[in-house]
Amino acid sequence: PDSRDIAVRFTALSFQAPDSVQFRYRLRGFDTAWQRPDDISRRIAYYTNLPPGDYVFEVMAANNAEIWQTRAASLGVSVQPFFYETRAFYLLVVMLLGGLFFGGYRLLLQRQRHQGERRIANEHLREYSRRLEEASRTDPLTGLWNRRYLEGQLPADLSVLKRRLDKDPDCGLVTVFALLDLDRFKALNDRYGHGAGDQELREFGALVGTLVRAGDYVVRWGGEEMAPAAAEDALRRILNAVAAHPFRVFGDGENPLHVTCSIGYAFCPFRSGGGGSLSWEQIIEVADRALYFAKEGGRARCVGLHATGLTAPDRTVADIRSDTEPMLAAGELRRTEFVVEQPPADQDPGPRE
């Protein structure tokens, strides 16, 4: 039957005492033991909410002497399952779940692959952007940083220096700004050509880069000028190393040239204590003025211009450029100078620049 509830009526024939007939029954496949009616006169068995399957209802009777019949009467009962209880439904569910799992797994793999491809593309894009940014801040001839790099990086570093000086004004920390210029570079270009000049600049930049500390900057400022932000003792090393270095500017590497450089430098902050101090751009102008004195003094030397305790707070970089000598004479500026320890004897001659 389609119903899950069944009622089975039963009876037995007795000519002696019909009301004393006893019954026992069971639904084989459902009951584990024989059942007896609660009321001897009640001759019906109820089963509700039977699970699907095939059953056999069995019933036996006994007379008033409790002599049971030897063979039970039986009735076959079949409860049909609903569709969601069939094996076909379970198989369909398993197939659907398997399909969903497989589809989700494929979708996950596809998403991971797309994420991996997107991540790789983003990494390539970041690397390309980094290289592009680095190229935009790098001088293509020498491989040194250019002005754009200095303008972007230096203010942050100087702000750190300023905070340390504000915390301890007497700590004596300074940054040295210097301008390096190859002596008689124009004469070399005119005599040997721009290829030789470019090679000299490449070697010059590479050499200077090896003589400064890891945290120092070496920037190609323009032409044959380099602008390192380095320790003061590094300038002496650079001055002597350039003079001693054999510049192999010719294609065959033979007959190296020996040249010198001139250096002008100034301290940042320009005034101790920072009162009325100059910006880093203005300090480089002071270093450029010091470079002029190094050139005028005979080249192959390093000249520094520094503020003193007599330097008026309202002095501008224009005053320093136009009144350098009067300020030196009045003690408002202090000049430091050192020369190449042993200038090369075979330096290429040329007109003073």
Side-chain angles (χ1 to χ4, degrees), residues 272-284:
S272 59
S277 190
L278 305 178
S279 67
W280 68 268
E281 295 94 341
Q282 293 172 327
I283 294 174
I284 288 183

Side-chain angles (χ1 to χ4, degrees), residues 144-214:
L144 299 175
W145 299 116
N146 59 19
R147 285 195 186 193
R148 182 180 178 186
Y149 172 83
L150 192 68
E151 292 168 354
Q153 182 67 30
L154 195 57
D157 292 343
L158 291 180
S159 66
V160 175
L161 175 64
K162 183 178 183 300
R163 286 195 296 270
R164 295 186 64 179
L165 289 174
D166 290 343
K167 186 177 180 180
D168 183 7
D170 299 324
C171 66
L173 290 176
V174 294
T175 295
V176 179
F177 289 119
L179 287 178
L180 282 64
D181 188 83
L182 282 169
D183 294 330
R184 299 182 174 88
F185 181 75
K186 184 176 182 303
L188 182 140
N189 261 341
D190 293 341
R191 182 170 179 178
Y192 299 111
H194 290 286
D198 289 348
Q199 179 60 27
E200 184 178 21
L201 285 176
R202 280 190 287 266
E203 290 193 33
F204 181 46
L207 177 63
V208 172
T210 63
L211 298 172
V212 297
R213 298 172 302 184

Side-chain angles (χ1 to χ4, degrees), residues 293-310:
F293 279 97
K295 290 288 188 179
E296 287 296 310
R299 303 183 185 86
R301 67 193 61 235
C302 181
V303 174
L305 291 177
H306 316 287
T308 69
L310 300 178

Side-chain angles (χ1 to χ4, degrees), residues 26-295:
R26 66 181 179 185
L27 186 63
R28 200 166 63 204
F30 182 79
D31 289 328
T32 59
W34 291 95
Q35 308 293 324
R36 288 199 178 194
D38 296 332
D39 185 357
I40 194 172
S41 63
R42 182 171 170 267
R43 301 181 178 185
I44 184 170
Y46 292 101
Y47 290 94
T48 61
N49 199 25
L50 288 172
D54 295 325
Y55 305 93
V56 176
F57 180 79
E58 297 177 326
V59 60
M60 298 179 68
N63 58 18
N64 56 354
E66 293 189 2
I67 298 174
W68 292 91
Q69 66 184 97
T70 58
R71 184 177 179 181
S74 62
L75 174 68
V77 179
S78 180
V79 179
Q80 298 299 317
F82 296 118
F83 175 70
Y84 60 82
E85 296 175 322
T86 62
R87 291 185 178 181
F89 177 78
Y90 293 148
L91 181 61
L92 180 61
V93 169
V94 170
M95 292 175 63
L96 287 176
L97 290 177
L100 288 174
F101 177 79
F102 182 71
Y105 180 69
R106 286 191 55 134
L107 182 62
L108 178 62
L109 289 180
Q110 187 176 18
R111 181 176 299 175
Q112 289 178 344
R113 184 172 65 253
H114 288 167
Q115 289 177 346
E117 292 173 352
R118 190 180 303 115
R119 183 172 60 253
I120 292 174
N122 290 336
E123 289 175 356
H124 288 168
L125 182 60
R126 284 193 294 269
E127 177 64 17
Y128 176 77
S129 299
R130 185 192 66 79
R131 291 182 181 180
L132 186 62
E133 175 66 18
E134 184 174 325
S136 69
R137 301 187 300 171
T138 304
D139 175 60
L141 177 63
T142 62
L144 299 175
W145 299 116
N146 59 19
R147 285 195 186 193
R148 182 180 178 186
Y149 172 83
L150 192 68
E151 292 168 354
Q153 182 67 30
L154 195 57
D157 292 343
L158 291 180
S159 66
V160 175
L161 175 64
K162 183 178 183 300
R163 286 195 296 270
R164 295 186 64 179
L165 289 174
D166 290 343
K167 186 177 180 180
D168 183 7
D170 299 324
C171 66
L173 290 176
V174 294
T175 295
V176 179
F177 289 119
L179 287 178
L180 282 64
D181 188 83
L182 282 169
D183 294 330
R184 299 182 174 88
F185 181 75
K186 184 176 182 303
L188 182 140
N189 261 341
D190 293 341
R191 182 170 179 178
Y192 299 111
H194 290 286
D198 289 348
Q199 179 60 27
E200 184 178 21
L201 285 176
R202 280 190 287 266
E203 290 193 33
F204 181 46
L207 177 63
V208 172
T210 63
L211 298 172
V212 297
R213 298 172 302 184
D216 296 336
Y217 306 139
V218 180
V219 175
R220 187 181 181 191
W221 192 247
E224 68 275 19
E225 287 185 342
M226 308 290 174
E232 191 176 11
D233 59 346
L235 301 181
R236 187 184 300 273
R237 293 197 302 271
I238 292 171
L239 191 70
N240 292 317
V242 170
H245 182 76
F247 285 85
R248 304 186 184 279
V249 299
F250 304 110
D252 56 6
E254 300 293 335
N255 302 317
L257 291 179
H258 289 276
V259 298
T260 59
C261 69
S262 298
I263 304 175
Y265 72 99
F267 292 148
C268 178
F270 185 65
R271 299 178 180 88
S272 59
S277 190
L278 305 178
S279 67
W280 68 268
E281 295 94 341
Q282 293 172 327
I283 294 174
I284 288 183
E285 290 190 52
V286 176
D288 184 60
R289 183 61 175 164
L291 176 62
Y292 168 81
F293 279 97
K295 290 288 188 179

